[in-house]
Structure formats: structure tokens, C-alpha cells
Amino acid sequence: MAADSTARAPENGSVQKTDLDNGLQVLLKESHLAPVASFWIFYRVGSRNEMPGGTGISHWVEHMLFKGTDRYPQGSFDKAVARAGGAFNGMTWQDWTTYFETFPAERIELALDVESDRMANAIFDADETESERSVIISEREGSENSYRWLLNTEMQAAAFQTHPYRHPVIGWKHDLLTMGRDDLYEHYRTFYTPTNAVAVAVGDFDGAQMADRIDHYFGSLAGGPVVPEMRLEEPEQRAERRIVLRGTDQTSYFGLAFHAPAAQHADFFALTVLDSILSGAKGMGLFGGGSSNRSNRLYRALVDKELAVGVSSSFMPTIDPYLFGFSATLAREVTHQELEDAIWAEIERMQEEPVTAEELEKAIKQTKAQFAYSSESVTNQAYWLGFSEMIADSDWFAGWLANLEAVTADDIQRVAQTWFSRSKQTVGWYLPE
């Protein structure tokens, strides 16, 4: 099935966008700085698409696609990647699942071959499914050893009453114990299809030739069923919610969360800058990173004053409204109420006083720097393009810097007043027994 290469001309700089007849979206970007190329497949499925009884299924299916096909039995692709000098991985998040390979440019066709094959022909062997059940349950039990993880999980479940964002990506343990091979295979056949996917290639190749090769490997695949529409809207939170967790860890933890807007909301960029003012600009790329937070508001107010040994805020782009969070590790002899009051003092300061021009300029500059750092490699550039298409669209990605630079001190004060209130907070205390 031929690619509709004339339907949408290259836009947003050097990004070329095409669609295959089977619905697969294709994003291509040439980069000839090094003889390297990266290929990604993003699927529009994650924990956002899961219901009670099936939580964690997307993450489990992601694991199963590494278990091989008839053409690439388990382990054969790993060896082929090693011989070709490449790297590969896969991951599942709330809004998406993705797989990628980065190779020397002349070997990138191997990525197209394996991704098109497992998009249609993953085996889902019954014994392998049971083996992977044990692996994933062990992974979850390992996370449960962290009381910080447990606190965050309980807070997330309390903050959302109806939206699937309340579920951990790895799933609830009972669901992991009761799902079976047929459940996984049905999920795979529903969501892992060309019509529900975006292919992204960035690197040292000719764009027209790459489009032809993607069409060769993916164009003959059936588009797949109509994906169930997610009509989701979390009810407005009208009362504060509190979680108190107790355990054997002798370190005390604190969490605070507010409902916050989706990536395409007009307030998204102002809250991104506010987050940077509070605790430093965050790494926006695949492998994290961030600027030093020692000169930012939360560090000065809590760590410098010995109320906490560590503190941070967090805000990320999502399809649907998610959370703006605060997290802290308490210093010894400090009570949770003292720390909570100190964080609220900083929130109210944001609401009552405009941030200084110096703070605003620094926060925007740091966030722009993190954007630049996270877009340096072809791997991260491909990730950014696909990620943006998942949670918004390529116009959102193209306008990132301009929207960031347009944020004003009045915007910061307004969004602090709009999104942070005591009646809409979800608070978590971890107390050592």
C-alpha cells in the first residue's frame, strides 16, 4: 500500500510527515551530523487505556513483544543488534507504549524489519506468558519495598476517582495474578496496529528513500480494528484528600498533589515555568536530567532551613489533565505539619506576589537549556517527535520554545491561584512506625 507522500508536505523545519494507506503515521527527519539513525514505533496505548481487572496489561504486552516471532525467535534480535553495533529498548507509560532501535545508519533497516514483524506476528507463547507474569510481579514487589513508591501510588489512586490515571502503569497486583494469555493477545491485536501507531525515524538517511523503506515493511500490514474511544473526564475535586501510610522505613516522606492541565491547555507552559522556579528545570528527554535546584525556592525554604533533606516539584505533559506534585524527605525531628506549612507558605507566596524578572528569566533560560540538551542526539530527537505526537501533536512540539518564552510573571501568579487550593489538594504523609 503506497504512502501518501504528497498529502502533507514537510513542515516544522525539516520534519517530513506522511501517512500510509493503512493509517500508520510516519515522521521523518534527516540529520547528517553523524552516521547514526534511530527508529521508533509509538502506540497510542498505556495505562490510560486500562480498566479495573486489566490494569498493567499494556506493560505486560510490551514485555511479550520481546519474546519473539517465527522469523525472529526469542534472543535472535538481541544478537543481531549486538552484531550491528546498535541499541534497543521498549517502555510503557500512561499515554503510550514505544519501542526503539538506534544503529549505525547503514544498519537501520534491521529496525524496520523487526518492528513491522512484531507489530503483526508476536507469538504470545503460553509458557512465556506465565514466566513473564512472575517477572512483572517480582518487579512490582521490588517497587513495594520503597515506602516513597507506596506513598506516591496511594496518593495517585486517591487523587483520581474515575480516570485510569489512578492506576499504576505496572498494574494492581490482583489484576497481574488473574489476567491470562488470551487477555494479553486481545489487547495486542486491538492496540498494536498501524492505525494506532506512529513511526519516527531521525538520522543520517535520505528522507524519500526512508519513506519508501517504511512503506515496504509496514504498508502491507492490515490497519487493524477501530480503537475504543476514551471519553474520560475526572470529576472536579471539591474536598482535600489525605493519605497516612505507616511502615518500617525510619525516614519520613511527604507528598502533595493538585490536579493540573493537559499538555494542550493554555496554562501548561506557565505551570512548566512555575515548576522550574520552585525546584529547577527538569530534563524533558528520554533519560531525565535537570538543572541544579540549590538556588530555587523550595530548596532555599526547606533544605537550607533544615526542614527537609530533599525537596522537589514535578509537572509533565499528558493527554488528559494529570497532577502537579510536591515531594520531600523530612529532616529528623521535623514534623509533617511543619513541612506542609512551609510548602504552603511558598505556594501562597507565588499566589500573592509576582515572581521577580530575574527569577522568570532564569527559569525560562534553564528550561530552554534542558529542551536543547534533551534534543541533541538522534535518539532523543526521535523520542521527542513521537512523544509529542502521542500527547498533543507536532505543532505543540514546534511551538514549545515560543510558548515558553511568552510566559509572564502575571501568568505565573494566575496559574498558582487557579490550580493550587487547599480544597483541591491530595496530601500524603509517610510515618515511621
Side-chain angles (χ1 to χ4, degrees):
M1 301 175 73
D4 181 9
S5 58
T6 61
R8 287 183 288 173
E11 55 187 57
N12 300 331
S14 59
V15 179
Q16 176 185 343
K17 304 178 71 174
T18 64
D19 291 331
L20 302 192
D21 289 345
N22 59 11
L24 179 69
Q25 292 179 264
V26 181
L27 305 180
L28 304 175
K29 181 180 178 183
E30 295 182 33
S31 176
H32 303 290
L33 297 177
V36 180
S38 188
F39 181 76
W40 292 66
I41 286 286
F42 279 85
Y43 296 98
R44 299 183 188 278
V45 62
S47 59
R48 173 180 178 269
N49 304 88
E50 298 169 357
M51 295 295 117
T55 64
I57 194 169
S58 300
H59 174 249
W60 195 344
V61 168
E62 177 229 310
H63 279 222
M64 294 307 299
L65 264 66
F66 285 103
K67 298 300 182 179
T69 65
D70 288 337
R71 287 186 54 236
Y72 284 99
Q74 184 175 359
S76 65
F77 177 61
D78 308 43
K79 295 175 183 177
V81 171
R83 288 195 299 269
F88 71 100
N89 211 332
M91 62 208 75
T92 305
W93 194 232
Q94 291 158 321
D95 294 331
W96 44 262
T97 298
T98 189
Y99 302 85
F100 79 93
E101 294 81 25
T102 299
F103 282 114
E106 70 273 12
R107 306 290 177 86
I108 195 62
E109 196 161 339
L110 176 60
L112 278 60
D113 189 20
V114 73
E115 292 301 347
S116 61
D117 187 33
R118 67 177 166 189
M119 181 183 282
N121 302 312
I123 295 174
F124 284 77
D125 176 78
D127 291 338
E128 286 291 348
T129 301
E130 288 305 310
S131 174
E132 207 60 25
R133 184 197 306 275
S134 299
V135 170
I136 292 171
I137 289 175
S138 295
E139 182 181 340
R140 184 189 159 89
E141 289 175 343
S143 297
E144 290 172 355
N145 291 328
S146 165
Y147 282 99
R148 184 189 292 278
W149 184 89
L150 288 172
L151 182 64
N152 290 339
T153 300
E154 294 291 341
M155 288 180 62
Q156 187 171 328
F160 291 98
Q161 292 182 329
T162 63
H163 196 289
Y165 282 162
R166 73 189 315 270
H167 306 305
V169 173
I170 199 170
W172 297 110
K173 193 169 184 179
H174 181 268
D175 294 347
L176 299 176
L177 289 167
T178 56
M179 282 187 291
R181 186 266 180 195
D182 291 346
D183 300 311
L184 299 176
Y185 192 75
E186 182 181 0
H187 192 73
Y188 165 63
R189 289 273 44 101
T190 300
F191 291 100
Y192 293 70
T193 64
T195 192
N196 199 45
V198 176
V200 185
V202 175
D204 189 21
F205 52 73
D206 176 86
Q209 293 178 2
M210 177 59 73
D212 287 342
R213 299 317 296 160
I214 291 175
D215 177 45
H216 169 76
Y217 283 100
F218 290 89
S220 62
L221 302 182
V226 176
V227 173
E229 183 180 357
M230 304 300 292
R231 295 188 295 272
L232 309 169
E233 186 171 350
E234 177 69 17
E236 181 183 357
Q237 183 173 340
R238 298 182 181 277
E240 68 177 67
R241 301 165 189 168
R242 288 186 172 267
I243 297 294
V244 177
L245 175 69
R246 294 177 174 85
T248 57
D249 186 345
Q250 293 305 298
T251 303
S252 296
Y253 303 113
F254 173 84
L256 173 64
F258 303 92
H259 288 277
Q264 297 200 73
H265 192 281
D267 289 347
F268 173 82
F269 288 95
L271 281 163
T272 298
V273 177
L274 184 152
D275 179 34
S276 180
I277 292 171
L278 285 172
S279 65
K282 312 303 189 297
M284 304 300 292
L286 177 61
F287 303 111
S291 59
S292 170
N293 71 353
R294 291 177 179 270
S295 64
N296 294 288
R297 288 194 176 192
L298 289 178
Y299 192 96
R300 295 200 308 266
L302 279 80
V303 180
D304 284 351
K305 294 181 179 179
E306 300 184 345
L307 295 174
V309 296
V311 62
S312 64
S313 58
S314 61
F315 179 56
M316 65 182 187
T318 49
I319 294 176
D320 299 318
Y322 188 55
L323 299 173
F324 191 109
F326 297 79
S327 178
T329 302
L330 279 67
R332 290 190 178 276
E333 310 303 327
V334 173
T335 69
H336 286 78
Q337 191 60 58
E338 287 175 316
L339 188 128
E340 183 174 333
D341 291 343
I343 288 180
W344 260 107
E346 291 306 307
I347 293 173
E348 289 170 347
R349 181 182 165 204
M350 282 275 192
Q351 294 171 332
E352 296 166 3
E353 305 170 6
V355 299
T356 66
E358 181 182 0
E359 279 183 304
L360 181 63
E361 181 182 2
K362 175 185 174 184
I364 292 176
K365 183 180 295 185
Q366 287 183 340
T367 308
K368 287 171 61 178
Q370 289 302 321
F371 180 87
Y373 297 153
S374 66
S375 302
E376 286 183 325
S377 70
V378 295
T379 302
N380 268 345
Q381 288 177 45
Y383 165 78
W384 256 109
L385 286 172
F387 167 78
S388 300
E389 198 68 32
M390 289 295 104
I391 55 95
D393 53 39
S394 55
D395 291 336
W396 180 85
F397 174 71
W400 177 277
L401 293 177
N403 285 320
L404 196 72
E405 291 169 344
V407 173
T408 66
D410 287 342
D411 292 329
I412 300 293
Q413 188 174 14
R414 176 182 54 78
V415 296
Q417 294 168 349
T418 300
W419 295 98
F420 303 153
S421 69
R422 292 182 186 270
S423 65
K424 296 182 180 181
Q425 65 180 342
T426 299
V427 183
W429 291 10
Y430 168 73
L431 300 168
E433 290 181 331

